[in-house]
Amino acid sequence: MRNFKNMKIGKNKVVTLKYKMFDAQNNSLLDDDFQQSVYLHGNGGGIFEKIEEQLENKEIGFNLKIQLEPNDAFGEYNADLLALEDKSRFPADLAVGMVFEGIPGDDDDIEIHAPENEEEYIDENSDDDSENDFYTVTDIVGDKVILDANHPLAGMAIRFDIVVIDIRDASEEELENGYIGDEYDNMISVANNVSFDEENDSSNNSKEKPTLH
């Protein structure tokens, strides 16, 4: 039987959290209910580094409220990650909001992603080859298309309200793999799937999607 009273978060502990995520004006970026996340502490994955630091040596029931600045979350918005392309390079059913892995015509194996199904973005687009980036279609005018490889939350400060709900020792298999299975989406995966609500936009905390208008 586990000793919950004395269990503390440390390296190689499997930690389960429930949390909410907001922009800097406290507009919710997720559903109203808490999201649940599980990660392997001290293993450098599935959680933001600044949050992991604050959870070190904490116990079940600990409540953390923290704001991550862009550099600690998804980086500053980078205008160099915009691309203007000919519409002829894209499928006939092209629409604003579609996400492409790479730019059509640059690679025979280009994949198309619906925004709600996208699982990840390149963490540091500026350091990677553009063929590996995820590009979101932000505008279509005539025969031109604007693509944006920034993460949807780039340039935004993000606030978290987090509660630790479980701590346990990692299994040998989990330690060997270096990560926890797919029972829950981890915190970063959930953040990658955020669909930013422009109705909650504020000039102090977000950028407008680039358009040709």
Side-chain angles (χ1 to χ4, degrees):
M1 181 178 294
R2 288 186 288 166
N3 187 340
F4 290 99
K5 184 176 180 180
N6 297 323
M7 186 77 73
K8 293 179 183 281
I9 296 175
K11 187 172 177 60
N12 295 333
K13 298 293 185 184
V14 175
V15 183
T16 303
L17 310 170
K18 66 176 183 178
Y19 65 96
K20 291 184 177 182
M21 187 166 65
F22 309 88
D23 66 17
Q25 286 70 46
N26 285 324
N27 297 308
S28 178
L29 296 174
L30 301 172
D31 295 333
D32 290 337
D33 293 332
F34 277 95
Q35 297 287 322
Q36 189 160 299
S37 174
V38 62
Y39 77 98
L40 182 60
H41 192 83
N43 231 53
I47 191 169
F48 295 97
E49 182 178 352
K50 290 288 186 182
I51 292 177
E52 187 174 42
E53 290 174 357
Q54 293 297 313
L55 293 177
E56 179 73 25
N57 208 39
K58 300 302 188 293
E59 300 178 347
I60 291 173
F62 176 72
N63 181 206
L64 172 66
K65 294 184 179 181
I66 186 172
Q67 176 169 310
L68 299 184
E69 297 305 319
N71 285 335
D72 295 320
F74 292 102
E76 297 290 350
Y77 189 82
N78 184 356
D80 291 337
L81 297 180
L82 299 177
L84 180 65
E85 300 293 337
D86 291 332
K87 188 177 179 181
S88 60
R89 303 182 70 181
F90 295 82
D93 61 348
L94 181 69
V96 171
M98 281 186 171
V99 179
F100 293 84
E101 187 174 0
I103 299 176
D106 288 347
D107 191 318
D108 292 336
D109 296 324
I110 291 300
E111 298 182 17
I112 303 173
H113 300 260
E116 64 270 22
N117 294 329
E118 184 182 355
E119 295 181 353
E120 61 180 358
Y121 278 75
I122 301 302
D123 288 334
E124 298 180 9
N125 286 324
S126 59
D127 294 331
D128 290 295
D129 188 278
S130 63
E131 291 183 356
N132 295 323
D133 294 339
F134 288 99
Y135 287 87
T136 301
V137 177
T138 61
D139 198 18
I140 306 168
V141 176
D143 62 352
K144 296 297 182 183
V145 178
I146 284 187
L147 302 169
D148 188 354
N150 284 281
H151 189 280
L153 299 180
M156 292 179 61
I158 305 174
R159 293 178 177 175
F160 288 88
D161 183 358
I162 301 167
V163 179
V164 179
I165 61 175
D166 190 50
I167 307 167
R168 64 172 174 84
D169 294 322
S171 67
E172 291 184 7
E173 180 179 1
E174 289 167 336
L175 291 175
E176 184 177 344
N177 292 337
Y179 62 88
I180 306 302
D182 295 329
E183 185 176 3
Y184 305 104
D185 286 332
N186 65 54
M187 182 178 289
I188 294 179
S189 293
V190 170
N192 279 338
N193 284 314
V194 166
S195 178
F196 185 67
D197 184 356
E198 294 185 8
E199 292 181 358
N200 290 335
D201 192 4
S202 169
S203 59
N204 293 327
N205 190 48
S206 64
K207 77 288 178 186
E208 291 188 5
K209 294 182 180 179
T211 70
L212 292 170
H213 297 295

